[in-house]
Amino acid sequence: MTKLIFDKSIEIQENNFVPKMDLQGCADLADILPDKYQKNDLNLPNIPENVIVRHFIDLSKQNYCVDDGIYPLGSCTMKYNPKVNEMIARLPELCNLHPLQPNAQGSLQILKGLEYMLCEITGMDAFTLNPAAGAQGEFVGILMIKKYFESRGEKRDKIIVPDSAHGTNPASAAMAGYSIIEIASDENGRLPLDQLEFAMKEGDVAGLMLTNPNTLGLFDRNILEITKIVNENGGICYYDGANLNPMLGVCRPGDMGFDIVHVNVHKTFSTPHGGGGPGAGPVGVKQKFVPYLPIPRILENKNRDKGLYISYENKETSIGRVNNFYGNFGVLIRAYAYIRGLGPEGLRRVGQNAVLNANYLKSMLLEKYEVPYDGKCMHEFVIDAKLPNDVTAEDVAKRLLDYGFYAPTIYFPLIVHEAMMIEPTETESKRELDDFIDAMLEIYQEAVNDPEKVKKAPHKTNIGRLDATLAARKPHLRE
Ligand SMILES: *Cc1c(COP(=O)(O)O)cnc(C)c1O
């Protein structure tokens, strides 16, 4: 069992061969903290430097990450992140910059350059880089829609969200005060046009939030009809572009009739993510939504020789501030480096290989697993992992850990009962994919021959099968 840092506390004098910090004028904590926060009351452990280093290295070795192996977590786009982006983000000239430093033209040019590239990639007219995540990007987009209709004096209080959308879509719209009209997917996993038209005709719908490709990994072939119906009935089309990876260099939401799109920089443009961040969810808009973009924005001086400046214009029309300063700078630098490094051709290859890898994996798994909404998928697909002898998707996921893989997303999307959502990403080689396929097919055989082995998995991890509900509600963080 892992020892906590508190268990490793020793009398500090025992092992004190690392020079002490001797910052001049730095008071001892005990001198400046009020009595109630004094060190003794806080029960802080006494830890020499080598013990603390080993403690955290040990913890990091118990983790599984993209640098260990394939991480096929559907909907999350856990691709390998090139290390050169890390080096660039850590350049002292960039990471030691203070956001209030005046006239930091270089950093403003990186941000503006990223804006321009995202406009080109998605077919939009302007971008805000301020939102810190995809879900915040959605919220920003919905607030802009709200402000747009308020400024026109139009009362529209509903948003349409298909049931194949990401769960954050209805949540963002509801947070902004909208009620949600959910439309069920048809038998092909697409949005039924007649129902969309019926809902739009009521006249009280502000717009549609479409996740495309949707959470089944399917691109909606009716996309142009969909946006036409919404636009002709006075609604706004919002594109959840978190699944942009397969579309890179192939097609653009801006060309399909969408007015607003968010992208997930941490998914598509290779920022390490997981455990809650950090991320960035830039939002792109067509011209008519520019006045509503959050402040501040980075704009070009009319006299171009004077470079870029940070603008608080549009204060009256803007939805306001949504983040500190200008967004998650370090994440945005990585995205800039990634896009510049690959260039247009490289980005297109990313998209094409993400689709190729997913379709290869799907076709090989079809031997033993059911794919309820079949057809050519984009970057991910959903299998029904209900196996013989009542083996469930959870059992398969846990057994995969014994084979040394990270498990795919399970029980999402909700429209497939024993859903397992698999996204291999473009960065995995055929050999990695084949190893994963072998493991999945072997688990199928185990379900037939020795189901208890799968149902009781994992057997090789530090901690065995937990009660998932209790583990979330009453976590035991140590024995
Ligand atoms: C990940 C994801 C989101 C939410 O993005 P976060 O950055 O996690 O807030 C929204 N929509 C889709 C389709 C996603 O995959």
Side-chain angles (χ1 to χ4, degrees):
M1 184 52 59
T2 306
K3 279 194 172 169
L4 298 183
I5 192 96
F6 292 91
D7 301 326
K8 297 180 180 172
S9 181
I10 57 161
E11 286 301 321
I12 202 85
Q13 291 82 353
E14 273 178 47
N15 186 3
N16 198 7
F17 306 110
V18 178
K20 233 175 139 61
M21 290 249 284
D22 64 345
L23 287 180
Q24 292 295 321
C26 218
D28 196 309
L29 267 188
D31 297 338
I32 48 175
L33 289 178
D35 281 351
K36 64 176 176 172
Y37 296 126
Q38 292 264 328
K39 203 172 171 189
N40 289 344
D41 295 343
L42 282 177
N43 189 24
L44 294 175
N46 269 330
I47 306 288
E49 182 176 311
N50 54 351
V51 175
I52 206 164
V53 167
R54 286 171 191 165
H55 177 74
F56 285 106
I57 292 288
D58 181 42
L59 285 183
S60 77
K61 284 196 283 198
Q62 293 181 36
N63 197 8
Y64 184 98
C65 56
V66 217
D67 290 349
D68 279 313
I70 181 172
Y71 208 121
L73 197 59
S75 183
C76 294
T77 314
M78 302 294 281
K79 58 169 82 175
Y80 175 78
N81 310 295
K83 294 291 170 271
V84 63
N85 302 340
E86 291 303 311
M87 287 169 55
I88 293 169
R90 283 167 205 197
L91 288 174
E93 291 82 352
L94 293 173
C95 69
N96 291 341
L97 204 58
H98 192 281
L100 291 180
Q101 190 162 321
N103 204 22
Q105 283 294 315
S107 62
L108 294 185
Q109 272 173 24
I110 290 176
L111 295 175
K112 196 70 191 169
L114 181 60
E115 265 185 59
Y116 286 142
M117 294 189 296
L118 291 177
C119 283
E120 182 62 27
I121 291 169
T122 57
M124 290 289 161
D125 295 324
F127 255 89
T128 171
L129 305 177
N130 299 358
Q136 199 193 7
E138 293 170 24
F139 188 54
V140 162
I142 295 296
L143 289 182
M144 286 195 281
I145 293 177
K146 200 169 181 180
K147 198 111 195 209
Y148 169 81
F149 283 118
E150 274 168 15
S151 74
R152 295 162 61 94
E154 268 183 70
K155 194 170 151 8
R156 291 174 180 252
D157 55 5
K158 299 196 173 76
I159 295 268
I160 298 174
V161 184
D163 68 354
S164 62
H166 195 265
T168 47
N169 293 186
S172 301
M175 264 178 68
Y178 285 101
S179 49
I180 313 298
I181 304 179
E182 183 180 285
I183 298 187
S185 312
D186 64 18
E187 66 282 6
N188 300 314
R190 267 95 178 179
L191 181 62
L193 294 180
D194 51 347
Q195 291 194 35
L196 176 66
E197 191 150 22
F198 180 78
M200 283 309 304
K201 288 271 182 255
E202 295 291 305
D204 56 356
V205 174
L208 163 76
M209 285 185 95
L210 193 73
T211 301
N212 190 56
N214 63 23
T215 53
L216 295 164
L218 302 172
F219 189 100
D220 204 312
R221 285 190 214 102
N222 297 324
I223 197 91
L224 295 178
E225 284 92 333
I226 290 173
T227 53
K228 191 160 172 245
I229 291 170
V230 176
N231 288 329
E232 280 182 355
N233 287 286
I236 301 298
C237 292
Y238 180 97
Y239 195 101
D240 178 332
N243 293 339
L244 199 69
N245 210 40
M247 294 167 43
L248 289 174
V250 179
C251 57
R252 315 191 303 172
D255 300 334
M256 302 173 200
F258 288 86
D259 278 314
I260 310 182
V261 58
H262 87 262
V263 300
N264 280 46
V265 152
H266 43 291
K267 293 179 181 171
T268 310
F269 301 114
S270 108
T271 286
H273 61 289
V283 177
V285 293
K286 284 288 176 62
Q287 204 60 48
K288 74 174 174 192
F289 279 94
V290 170
Y292 308 103
L293 282 170
I295 46 173
R297 298 196 56 217
I298 295 162
L299 297 180
E300 273 175 30
N301 268 306
K302 294 228 160 48
N303 175 357
R304 292 194 71 162
D305 293 345
K306 289 203 181 137
L308 299 161
Y309 70 104
I310 293 159
S311 156
Y312 290 85
E313 293 155 28
N314 288 347
K315 238 193 193 130
E316 277 66 48
T317 55
S318 161
I319 62 160
R321 214 179 223 298
V322 299
N323 201 346
N324 290 330
F325 299 110
Y326 327 112
N328 274 341
F329 187 50
V331 173
L332 300 169
I333 293 172
R334 287 173 176 85
Y336 179 88
Y338 178 76
I339 296 172
R340 288 296 300 267
L342 283 171
E345 280 310 314
L347 282 187
R348 182 172 301 128
R349 268 204 322 279
V350 165
Q352 289 169 337
N353 277 291
V355 174
L356 183 64
N357 276 359
N359 279 285
Y360 173 66
L361 203 52
K362 176 162 76 71
S363 65
M364 298 302 277
L365 293 182
L366 268 175
E367 193 184 308
K368 297 292 180 197
Y369 290 85
E370 199 195 324
V371 179
Y373 296 90
D374 201 7
K376 197 166 288 167
C377 65
M378 293 292 118
H379 58 307
E380 64 192 353
F381 57 95
V382 177
I383 62 176
D384 190 338
K386 185 163 178 48
L387 297 189
N389 296 317
D390 295 327
V391 167
T392 64
E394 182 180 9
D395 299 334
V396 177
K398 299 291 185 201
R399 185 68 181 134
L400 272 171
L401 306 181
D402 287 335
Y403 282 86
F405 291 105
Y406 197 87
T409 303
I410 52 172
Y411 300 116
F412 181 78
L414 304 175
I415 40 186
V416 175
H417 194 57
E418 290 292 328
M420 180 174 262
M421 187 189 207
I422 308 179
E423 179 178 6
T425 82
E426 73 284 358
T427 55
E428 300 308 325
S429 67
K430 179 164 178 298
R431 182 178 296 178
E432 291 290 339
L433 300 183
D434 286 339
D435 288 348
F436 181 77
I437 292 161
D438 288 348
M440 288 291 285
L441 298 181
E442 269 175 52
I443 292 171
Y444 179 90
Q445 281 312 324
E446 289 174 350
V448 175
N449 301 328
D450 187 3
E452 284 309 300
K453 193 176 199 176
V454 187
K455 288 184 191 180
K456 296 220 164 76
H459 306 285
K460 295 187 185 164
T461 50
N462 278 353
I463 295 173
R465 180 81 67 109
L466 297 172
D467 177 321
T469 315
L470 269 186
R473 300 266 156 79
K474 288 190 176 169
H476 263 268
L477 297 179
R478 59 175 308 194
E479 280 303 315

